[in-house]
Amino acid sequence: MNKKPSKPLVSVIIPAYNAEKHIEQCLNSLQRQSPLFPFEIIVVDSSTDATPTIIKIKFPKVKLIHRDQQTYPGAGRNRGAKEARGEILAFIDSDCIATENWLEKGVEMVKKGHPIVGGSVHNGNPGLVSWPDYFLTFNEFLPSMPRREVQFTPTCNFMITKAAFQNGGGFREDIIAGEDTLFCYAAGKNYPLLFEPALQVAHCNRERWNLFMAHHRCFGEHSAYVRKQADIPGKSLVRNPLLAMLAPLIRTLRISGRMLRYNPRHLPVFMVSSPLLFCGTVAWSYGFMKEAWKRRV
């Protein structure tokens, strides 16, 4: 008689789009997890490359949901959450690698009474461009940062009870970036968000200059957009987008302060990367002002 599979405690959800370069190492890191509870892996994919083929051939136990049209990350996460059987939803991105105790540590924190937990991020591919991309994107969530309650935590390393996710209303599905910011601020009205540095993933950052600059310009546009949608910190910049011209200097100084206080080990590489990081903040400021000024046209 075949034993009925146990219902998973955790559903790991991965949105993927043209992720053939990283999806295998991501799923391998999840298969190396050895918690004392069952879990499932759900990939919501809309790729036009070999991503779904890799999953079907090398990871047959992974639940693959393939969509014919490109699906933004928020929509992918929502679809995965809808299919999830676990009481806890664990979100990770296709270009991330989980540490061996990732699931165990996340569930431990949830069971201690933290319904929403975000973790820290390592640089998974150190390089000339990837370092400034990493510092600019994840400087508030380095492994050396202290455990604390936060208003926002990146969804590339994010665990939440299904009840809290449903109460938060899910992610916006019509934007390519910023949906995690809007969700965190909405969910934070009812639940505290804990940053736990021991919950760790490595993120593979952009390695090409043109992609780095394009990403941060796009990120700036969506940062302005979400501040039009919700009352969140930085909303005053949308009212006076010319203030965003000060962002390159202000952001560089703030990141420098965090590095000096919490991460002196990486100061040398940060100093070498700072000119490129400054260029990234200029691109962010351009995107922010471009979106902020739309309301005045």
Side-chain angles (χ1 to χ4, degrees):
M1 182 177 179
N2 293 329
K3 185 178 179 180
K4 186 177 180 179
S6 301
K7 180 182 177 181
L9 174 66
V10 181
S11 297
V12 182
I13 299 169
I14 309 169
Y17 176 71
N18 289 351
E20 63 181 9
K21 182 178 179 180
H22 300 295
I23 192 65
E24 188 170 349
Q25 60 184 356
C26 176
L27 293 176
N28 278 331
S29 74
L30 295 173
Q31 290 196 338
R32 288 194 294 267
Q33 304 290 305
S34 56
L36 299 177
F37 52 80
F39 68 95
E40 64 178 350
I41 302 172
I42 302 171
V43 178
V44 182
D45 173 70
S46 58
S47 300
T48 58
D49 64 5
T51 301
T53 302
I54 292 171
I55 297 171
K56 290 176 183 177
I57 294 175
K58 297 188 176 183
F59 304 95
K61 293 183 179 180
V62 170
K63 182 171 184 178
L64 174 63
I65 301 172
H66 184 71
R67 311 187 80 175
D68 292 332
Q69 294 184 332
Q70 181 180 357
T71 301
Y72 288 158
R77 295 188 189 103
N78 287 345
R79 176 63 187 276
K82 184 177 180 181
E83 298 288 334
R85 297 184 294 142
E87 300 173 12
I88 299 171
L89 308 179
F91 294 101
I92 189 172
D93 286 353
S94 59
D95 54 3
C96 288
I97 303 168
T99 55
E100 291 185 5
N101 67 341
W102 181 66
L103 280 177
E104 185 177 356
K105 175 59 69 174
V107 169
E108 175 188 343
M109 299 311 298
V110 171
K111 288 186 174 181
K112 285 183 177 179
H114 304 287
I116 308 177
V117 182
S120 64
V121 183
H122 289 278
N123 186 358
N125 58 334
L128 179 64
V129 176
S130 69
W131 274 118
D133 190 40
Y134 170 69
F135 290 134
L136 196 53
T137 305
F138 299 112
N139 65 88
E140 295 180 74
F141 307 102
L142 305 178
S144 55
M145 296 291 283
R147 177 190 296 177
R148 65 198 189 279
E149 287 191 8
V150 294
Q151 294 178 305
F152 162 77
T153 181
T155 42
C156 66
N157 184 6
F158 188 77
M159 298 199 186
I160 183 170
T161 64
K162 184 180 284 188
F165 180 82
Q166 292 171 340
N167 288 338
F171 295 98
R172 281 277 300 268
E173 298 191 355
D174 59 335
I175 51 178
I176 197 170
E179 81 292 340
D180 48 358
T181 302
L182 290 173
F183 176 81
C184 283
Y185 279 99
K189 295 177 181 178
N190 300 309
Y191 303 95
L193 277 68
L194 178 72
F195 170 69
E196 171 52 68
L199 182 67
Q200 300 180 359
V201 302
H203 182 270
C204 295
N205 303 288
R206 288 154 198 86
E207 298 176 308
R208 292 168 53 187
W209 175 251
N210 61 326
L211 297 180
F212 166 73
M213 293 294 284
H215 168 75
H216 289 287
R217 178 182 54 76
C218 176
F219 189 69
E221 289 182 19
H222 284 84
S223 293
Y225 178 80
V226 299
R227 282 160 178 80
K228 291 180 179 179
Q229 306 296 310
D231 186 17
I232 60 178
K235 191 175 180 66
S236 60
L237 288 176
V238 178
R239 300 191 186 101
N240 189 354
L242 286 177
L243 290 176
M245 293 179 66
L246 299 176
L249 178 60
I250 294 172
R251 294 187 77 191
T252 301
L253 291 174
R254 291 180 66 184
I255 296 171
S256 299
R258 292 189 186 108
M259 297 297 294
L260 283 167
R261 184 176 181 183
Y262 298 112
N263 197 19
R265 183 170 68 91
H266 281 135
L267 268 179
V269 69
F270 173 76
M271 293 176 66
V272 172
S273 301
S274 58
L276 302 184
L277 184 148
F278 185 81
C279 291
T281 60
V282 170
W284 181 94
S285 297
Y286 171 78
F288 190 97
M289 289 188 291
K290 179 181 177 183
E291 174 60 35
W293 279 101
K294 282 184 179 179
R295 68 188 179 93
R296 300 189 177 189
V297 175

